[in-house]
Amino acid sequence: MNQRKIVGILLAAGVGRRFDRNGLQNKLLQRLPDGHTVAQAAAINLLGAGIEVMAVVPASASNSVLSSLLLAAGCQVIECTDAAEGMAHSLVCALRHLPIDTAGIVIALADMPLIRPASIRAVVDALLTGAEIVVPHYAGKRGHPVGFAQCHFAELMGLQGDQGARRLLQTYPSHVLSLDDPGVLQDIDTMEDWRQLST
């Protein structure tokens, strides 16, 4: 019996201006206490859920280090030429590269390195058992990663700017997963966020 394919999409093309307004430091390349960079940790957790992962990075030479780290972690790396236009463009870029037999996707953010693989796997399993949109919650708050079945791919392809998939979450009912994992809420937006994880 062939299992339906769920693919992880790791969005790693953001500029991260709140982290460093001068653009001198890429937050995704900052080291965590375990020695991995932020993006590596996010990729390892996504891969740990037992799915293949496509990581979207900006199409620029300055991101060769990021691309190399994600390739070494086991991701397929996709360069997005219009990543600066907003998160939706990175997502659409990944959707264009999906294998034809993809039944669902799990969209993860590369600046969220603390999500447990078991939490990501719970999203995958919900898609495999028929859920069309899956959203993890912790302490009553919506988190990441979010899962979408193939029936929503066409609408996701129409997203623009920096809206991401939020509009679909507001339009369609979601399968809510209540998880005991604060990592589904914890991203690294600022230097202080990173320092708190590094101490």
Side-chain angles (χ1 to χ4, degrees):
M1 177 178 176
N2 293 326
Q3 188 180 43
R4 298 164 67 225
K5 178 179 285 188
I6 306 297
V7 175
I9 295 176
L10 185 68
L11 300 179
V15 176
R17 287 192 179 92
R18 287 182 61 195
F19 187 85
D20 179 4
R21 296 188 184 280
N22 297 316
L24 300 176
Q25 297 187 73
N26 186 337
K27 66 179 179 179
L28 300 182
L29 296 178
Q30 303 309 304
R31 295 283 174 183
L32 298 172
D34 66 359
H36 292 119
T37 65
V38 171
Q40 273 181 305
I44 289 167
N45 292 338
L46 197 54
L47 289 158
I51 55 177
E52 62 182 82
V53 174
M54 298 170 53
V56 184
V57 301
S60 66
S62 63
N63 285 288
S64 60
V65 173
L66 177 61
S67 296
S68 297
L69 289 171
L70 293 173
L71 282 167
C75 300
Q76 175 188 355
V77 173
I78 306 294
E79 291 190 350
C80 181
T81 56
D82 56 356
E85 300 295 321
M87 185 185 298
H89 295 266
S90 294
L91 177 56
V92 169
C93 180
L95 290 167
R96 290 193 183 117
H97 288 84
L98 284 176
I100 195 168
D101 59 343
T102 304
I105 56 172
V106 176
I107 304 171
L109 306 180
D111 64 355
M112 298 188 71
L114 301 182
I115 304 172
R116 298 170 188 157
S119 298
I120 301 167
R121 186 68 213 183
V123 176
V124 172
D125 289 342
L127 288 172
L128 290 173
T129 53
E132 294 185 0
I133 299 178
V134 186
V135 182
H137 280 226
Y138 174 76
K141 296 180 181 179
R142 187 176 73 199
H144 292 274
V146 177
F148 288 93
Q150 193 267 347
C151 60
H152 291 292
F153 287 3
E155 197 161 356
L156 288 169
M157 286 287 291
L159 296 176
Q160 295 182 339
D162 207 32
Q163 65 184 139
R166 186 173 301 166
R167 179 166 58 81
L168 274 73
L169 300 180
Q170 295 169 341
T171 303
Y172 300 104
S174 302
H175 177 79
V176 174
L177 291 176
S178 294
L179 302 174
D180 184 20
D181 182 0
V184 304
L185 303 179
Q186 194 164 4
D187 61 359
I188 296 177
D189 268 346
T190 66
M191 193 79 74
E192 184 58 31
D193 293 336
W194 172 67
R195 289 194 184 103
Q196 288 179 3
L197 292 183
S198 302
T199 56

